Amino acid sequence: MPTLGRILQFIHPEDREKFEQTYRNAIKLKHDFKHEYRIQRKDGAIQYVIEKAN
């Protein structure tokens, strides 16, 4: 199972702090979230992701 630290390695450096904050708040407050962020693939390409949890 992936850990938060491992997941953060794939997220674009400019989006990591916001992603981690959103993720931790959702768990702590037990609420839904929708978040858009970028991942940087091994080939250097940027991919946009929209993640939704409820």
Side-chain angles (χ1 to χ4, degrees):
M1 176 172 262
T3 63
L4 178 57
R6 180 96 169 105
I7 293 168
L8 288 172
Q9 292 176 353
F10 294 97
I11 296 176
H12 191 282
E14 294 176 5
D15 297 342
R16 286 180 189 157
E17 185 178 337
K18 177 92 169 143
F19 174 89
E20 185 174 8
Q21 184 179 47
T22 299
Y23 181 83
R24 289 186 186 280
N25 282 339
I27 291 172
K28 181 179 177 181
L29 301 174
K30 298 179 182 175
H31 65 75
D32 302 344
F33 74 92
K34 181 178 177 184
H35 187 68
E36 182 176 335
Y37 57 92
R38 298 167 287 176
I39 60 172
Q40 191 161 9
R41 298 179 359 186
K42 288 182 180 182
D43 65 2
I46 301 295
Q47 186 170 356
Y48 285 82
V49 176
I50 298 174
E51 185 173 6
K52 181 180 176 184
N54 33 352

